[in-house]
Amino acid sequence: MPNTTEITAIVAGNHNDPFAFLGLHENESGAMEVRTFQPSATQVIVLDAKSGKKITELEKIDEAGLFCGVIPRRKNRFPYRLRVRWDEQDFDIEDPYRFPPVLGEMDVWLLAEGTHYRPYERLGAHLTTIEGVEGTSFVVWAPNAKRVSIVGEFNQWDGRRHPMRLRRECGVWEIFLPAISAGVKYKFEIHGPDGKLLPLHADPYGFAAEMRPATASIVSPLPPIVPGTEARKAANALNAPVSIYEVHLGSWRRKTEEDNRFLTWRELEETLIPYVKEMGFTHLELLPISEFPFDGSWGYQPVGLYAPTARFGSPEDFRRFVAHCHAENIGVIADWVPGHFPNDPHGLASFDGTHLYEYADPREGFHKDWNTLIYNYNRHEVKNFLIGNALYWIERFGVDGLRVDAVASMLYRDYSREPHEWIPNYQGGRENLEAVAFLKRMNEIIGQERTEAITAAEESTAWPMVSRPPSMGGLGFHYKWNMGWMHDTLQYMQQDPMYRRYHHDQITFSLVYAFNENFILPLSHDEVVHGKGSLLSKMPGDRWQKFANLRLYFAFMYAHPGKKLLFMGCEFAQEKEWNHDQSLDWHLLDDKLHKGMQALVRDLNHVYRDSPALYEIDFEPRGFEWIDHSDREQSVISFLRKGNDENRFVVAIVNFTPVPRYGYRIGVPKQGYYREILNTDSKFYGGSNVGNRGGILNAEDRPAHGRPYSLSITLPPLATVYLEWTAQQA
């Protein structure tokens, strides 16, 4: 008979080593003995797992449901099953406590050392077979917990039934549950170091989750690896055309006005992908698709970092969506949030009763702006949790890359804090050196493991070399969002054209630093929310002028050095501010000005992709050359974009006033003909159709702007014009 202390601990659910007590063990007399805890059971019989024959019936030694019995004529361990009677019905089950440890010694060593960069391959719930028995292994990191159990409908959410084994070497708890298959809901029941029962936690490494407001994790297969390809590597390269359509999936479209539900991944395959292809965008960027509890966070406060949100379907549906995008030569970039997480009780906050994932001191670990917690980048396990997650989306779903959210908030300890609200680093500075090291290592590993993938930083400060390799002292991102360009140019565009001459430097200043980083020019969701209005509403003038201003601005962006990003709805001049709870106003396309704006963006994408001069040399000064940036009195700028073929350059001229300019002269580098390949004032876009004699101009042997030849052109009002050189008149 086991001692009373251990019996009490098992029944109460607080035994410190349940695997040492439950299952098959040699007792003090040298006999083999089976012990099992089956609450509410009236009978337990031990069966031979191979033959199915009865070996012995166990004695009920505690009314709570603890059974024990000696196995006759057995000297060694053997596979067995249990026949348990509940409510006069017999159920044959496997005993989880007869199976060996889930993790091998190498796994434990790598996890303890902090060098397992794919911890999701071991932690979480994994469908597996052990000793010929199918089931699911559960592994969770909770080093300071006193007890951890797996709970779900399979055990009536009773934490006493399946307490887990602690692997003290690395602080993880594990158990193999036979017969648990895909689709089963589960959580972890954790007792903190003081023995206090904590709220049930979802699995940090859960591969699927319930639809909010439910919060359980769901057993789901680990998706197979998606191999990288040379085609995707070329499509994501610095010298490739990159035009990104940023989408919040929950409000791009809804099913119908009557049925205002989200579209599923399969419905988005049939609608969003063809639309993106028709519009000519090269990439889709999706606002965070990790599971998150609150719709109003748009996904930027994720709880299930490894689980594609259930709002749009299953993980396999998302994987298929990405594959379908690639089949149509469309890249997929996922917004990713490694900077903070919400304090929802089922999430990572105080996970094992201690500040495990977050910094303990609120001066380091709490974002007062967002009411969220900050990851503790000092911990190897936390860094590996995040680095593994980055690889997970790229390797297991095939996404082309990650746009990393709020990088500035990670880099600075005093981000959005008063002087008394932050702690300096060990050098006395304001930089978060642990976060810097994490970002460098994350980018290094992605660069080593998946050469086709990219990362882009939303970074709004003057931090140097964000998009330079760590070996050079950089952070290692491939791209950085150019927030300065966005801010300056939008501020300029909001000026009345009459006064733009006084703000001319705002539209030209970005070229002073344009090649310091590999920039993406972002007109993102952040510019059309929180009372900022839509892009169209920012434009000055009457209705026609608003549209003309926005058309010229888009064309200026596409000619400016840097990759392009446009938030959904901007392409057809959404009039209202973005509302995440409803569909975009697609009915606006019944209006010719909105339809014209959409046609312009479509044509811009195609002209951009067809003109290597507009994208091949985005990040070196040799890809750009001013013709004239000093005509502030007329608010006109002109410049060249150049590619590797010296004969395929593009001339861009922008007139920021509503006054047509006739006979406007600009210098050009070559003799010959210049064909108008885009004019934002075209009648097809809703413009006044002012143009240049069929769009073909002959360069005159007349110097201008330091060049041997020049063109006399007509500049339409509030318009951007692109010209492409050709040796002969078509």
Side-chain angles (χ1 to χ4, degrees):
M1 177 71 68
N3 68 62
T4 304
T5 301
E6 289 200 288
I7 292 174
T8 301
I10 288 291
V11 170
N14 57 22
H15 196 287
N16 63 2
D17 190 2
F19 275 82
F21 180 86
L22 298 172
L24 179 64
H25 297 278
E26 183 178 329
N27 65 18
E28 293 179 355
S29 302
M32 302 304 293
E33 183 175 280
V34 170
R35 305 165 195 150
T36 184
F37 183 53
Q38 304 293 344
S40 304
T42 57
Q43 183 186 55
V44 177
I45 294 172
V46 179
L47 307 175
D48 186 293
K50 295 181 179 178
S51 67
K53 293 181 179 179
K54 175 181 175 180
I55 296 176
T56 190
E57 180 176 343
L58 303 182
E59 177 187 356
K60 191 173 190 179
I61 62 173
D62 189 279
E63 286 305 311
L66 183 61
F67 293 79
C68 178
V70 173
I71 305 299
R73 299 181 299 280
R74 299 276 181 152
K75 299 295 184 183
N76 300 307
R77 302 183 66 84
F78 67 96
Y80 65 90
R81 305 187 77 204
L82 301 174
R83 177 167 293 162
V84 184
R85 177 166 294 177
W86 282 293
D87 298 328
E88 302 305 317
Q89 293 188 59
D90 290 339
F91 298 88
D92 287 3
I93 64 171
E94 298 283 354
D95 184 0
Y97 297 93
R98 81 165 179 86
F99 291 92
V102 172
L103 296 178
E105 290 304 315
M106 180 60 71
D107 293 322
V108 171
W109 183 75
L110 291 174
L111 290 170
E113 187 186 55
T115 56
H116 203 309
Y117 292 119
R118 294 174 180 82
Y120 66 84
E121 293 180 349
R122 297 294 178 264
L123 278 75
H126 290 268
L127 297 168
T128 188
T129 300
I130 297 180
E131 295 185 351
V133 177
E134 294 181 352
T136 299
S137 65
F138 297 90
V139 183
V140 64
W141 179 55
N144 304 304
K146 191 170 184 180
R147 191 262 281 167
V148 180
S149 294
I150 188 76
V151 295
E153 293 176 347
F154 50 85
N155 62 12
Q156 291 76 55
W157 301 92
D158 184 348
R160 300 174 303 159
R161 293 175 182 257
H162 293 123
M164 303 171 75
R165 173 194 286 117
L166 172 61
R167 304 299 296 272
R168 298 183 186 278
E169 312 96 305
C170 57
V172 301
W173 300 74
E174 61 169 32
I175 194 169
F176 170 69
L177 293 188
I180 299 297
S181 57
V184 171
K185 300 170 185 176
Y186 69 97
K187 285 187 176 182
F188 294 110
E189 182 182 279
I190 300 175
H191 287 252
D194 58 358
K196 182 180 178 181
L197 180 63
L198 304 176
L200 295 181
H201 283 290
D203 187 351
Y205 287 88
F207 300 142
E210 285 187 287
M211 178 69 168
R212 56 94 178 98
T215 57
S217 299
I218 300 174
V219 176
S220 182
L222 177 63
I225 291 175
V226 178
T229 67
E230 288 300 315
R232 295 316 312 157
K233 184 175 182 178
N236 299 328
L238 298 181
N239 63 352
V242 175
S243 176
I244 302 166
Y245 188 54
E246 187 192 28
V247 172
H248 175 261
L249 294 166
S251 58
W252 181 71
R253 283 186 189 271
R254 294 293 179 100
K255 182 62 175 177
T256 63
E257 288 188 12
E258 296 76 22
D259 182 8
N260 193 40
R261 68 166 174 81
F262 302 131
L263 297 182
T264 66
W265 288 117
R266 291 179 181 255
E267 290 168 331
L268 289 163
E269 275 186 42
E270 299 168 358
T271 52
L272 177 58
I273 294 176
Y275 180 75
V276 172
K277 184 177 182 180
E278 178 191 0
M279 289 298 295
F281 290 100
T282 64
H283 291 70
L284 259 174
E285 182 174 317
L286 306 177
L287 270 61
I289 48 82
S290 296
E291 193 55 78
F292 59 101
F294 175 50
D295 287 1
S297 79
W298 316 328
Y300 289 103
Q301 293 196 8
V303 167
L305 215 58
Y306 281 82
T309 176
R311 288 165 175 80
F312 313 115
S314 70
E316 180 54 35
D317 288 340
F318 173 57
R319 193 171 183 273
R320 170 178 154 164
F321 174 86
V322 175
H324 195 129
C325 284
H326 288 167
E328 298 295 340
N329 200 28
I330 297 168
V332 178
I333 300 169
D335 275 19
W336 188 55
V337 189
H340 64 124
F341 58 91
N343 56 12
D344 295 71
H346 69 283
L348 298 180
S350 300
F351 188 79
D352 65 354
T354 68
H355 298 286
L356 189 62
Y357 283 88
E358 69 271 24
Y359 288 107
D361 192 317
R363 292 173 296 173
E364 297 179 289
F366 183 71
H367 267 310
K368 64 176 187 177
D369 289 356
W370 305 319
N371 195 35
T372 54
L373 302 173
I374 301 170
Y375 287 104
N376 183 348
Y377 305 105
N378 253 331
R379 287 185 179 270
H380 291 308
E381 297 89 346
V382 172
K383 288 186 289 187
N384 290 348
F385 170 75
L386 295 170
I387 291 171
N389 188 249
L391 286 173
Y392 173 74
W393 293 109
I394 295 166
E395 293 185 334
R396 300 292 174 161
F397 292 94
V399 302
D400 290 73
L402 304 170
R403 176 268 194 186
V404 183
D405 179 61
V407 171
S409 75
M410 301 171 65
L411 296 176
Y412 299 99
R413 287 173 166 265
D414 64 345
Y415 180 86
S416 193
R417 296 178 189 270
E418 298 299 324
H420 64 281
E421 295 178 334
W422 62 281
I423 301 175
N425 62 39
Y426 74 93
Q427 298 175 341
R430 58 195 285 256
E431 300 82 7
N432 187 332
L433 301 178
E434 299 88 20
V436 172
F438 157 71
L439 290 170
K440 289 182 176 182
R441 189 62 180 143
M442 180 270 295
N443 282 318
E444 280 180 337
I445 290 172
I446 290 176
Q448 293 165 5
E449 300 294 323
R450 297 296 293 228
T451 58
E452 82 285 0
I454 57 173
T455 58
E458 184 209 14
E459 206 288 306
S460 55
T461 74
W463 188 282
M465 298 197 294
V466 171
S467 56
R468 298 294 181 262
S471 60
M472 296 173 57
L475 292 183
F477 288 93
H478 298 82
Y479 297 104
K480 172 181 174 175
W481 275 24
N482 194 337
M483 310 297 280
W485 173 89
M486 176 276 298
H487 179 269
D488 288 347
T489 59
L490 274 179
Q491 195 171 66
Y492 176 86
M493 290 303 301
Q494 292 177 75
Q495 302 291 336
D496 187 304
M498 181 182 298
Y499 303 112
R500 283 176 176 167
R501 69 181 72 178
Y502 305 114
H503 304 274
H504 195 69
D505 291 345
Q506 283 186 311
I507 206 68
T508 61
F509 180 66
S510 59
L511 271 303
V512 173
Y513 60 86
F515 310 109
N516 292 349
E517 301 276 5
N518 302 333
F519 281 122
I520 291 173
L521 309 182
L523 293 175
S524 73
H525 64 278
D526 282 327
E527 311 320 313
V528 294
V529 290
H530 302 320
K532 296 177 184 177
S534 66
L535 289 187
L536 183 68
S537 71
K538 299 179 196 298
M539 301 296 116
D542 59 24
R543 189 169 189 266
W544 187 91
Q545 290 186 349
K546 284 180 180 291
F547 277 87
N549 271 298
L550 191 55
R551 290 195 300 266
L552 84 83
Y553 183 49
F554 285 161
F556 166 66
M557 177 178 78
Y558 272 78
H560 191 287
K563 307 310 181 186
K564 326 302 175 188
L565 181 143
L566 195 61
F567 184 57
M568 64 180 198
C570 296
E571 79 277 13
F572 61 80
Q574 174 93 357
E575 293 186 354
K576 294 186 299 186
E577 185 173 277
W578 170 50
N579 182 347
H580 70 271
D581 282 327
Q582 64 186 45
S583 171
L584 296 176
D585 292 331
W586 294 98
H587 64 274
L588 293 175
L589 289 171
D590 293 335
D591 177 272
K592 67 178 183 179
L593 286 177
H594 290 282
K595 190 72 175 176
M597 188 70 71
Q598 185 190 50
L600 170 69
V601 173
R602 180 183 62 239
D603 288 355
L604 276 170
N605 276 322
H606 288 289
V607 168
Y608 170 67
R609 295 172 67 169
D610 292 343
S611 305
L614 293 176
Y615 62 78
E616 273 188 341
I617 311 176
D618 263 326
F619 310 121
E620 300 176 52
R622 66 187 180 93
F624 175 90
E625 189 176 320
W626 281 115
I627 296 174
D628 185 14
H629 60 78
S630 62
D631 190 0
R632 63 176 62 244
E633 288 304 312
Q634 298 186 88
S635 296
V636 175
I637 60 173
S638 52
F639 53 88
L640 298 173
R641 288 302 313 278
K642 300 181 291 183
N644 293 320
D645 184 346
E646 64 179 15
N647 292 320
R648 292 203 65 187
F649 57 89
V650 172
V651 180
I653 315 101
V654 191
N655 179 9
F656 290 101
T657 70
V659 180
R661 310 288 181 188
Y662 298 100
Y664 191 89
R665 187 165 296 277
I666 61 168
V668 291
K670 292 176 73 75
Q671 196 171 22
Y673 297 93
Y674 288 77
R675 180 171 60 92
E676 189 178 86
I677 58 174
L678 186 115
N679 180 344
T680 64
D681 193 50
S682 166
K683 66 180 180 180
F684 297 108
Y685 308 140
S688 59
N689 216 36
V690 174
N692 289 278
R693 304 186 303 278
I696 301 293
L697 297 168
N698 188 9
E700 301 175 37
D701 191 4
R702 177 177 171 180
H705 298 120
R707 291 171 176 78
Y709 309 101
S710 62
L711 299 172
S712 176
I713 66 176
T714 296
L715 290 184
L718 293 174
T720 298
V721 174
Y722 294 173
L723 306 174
E724 187 176 64
W725 179 83
T726 178
Q728 297 181 347
Q729 187 173 8

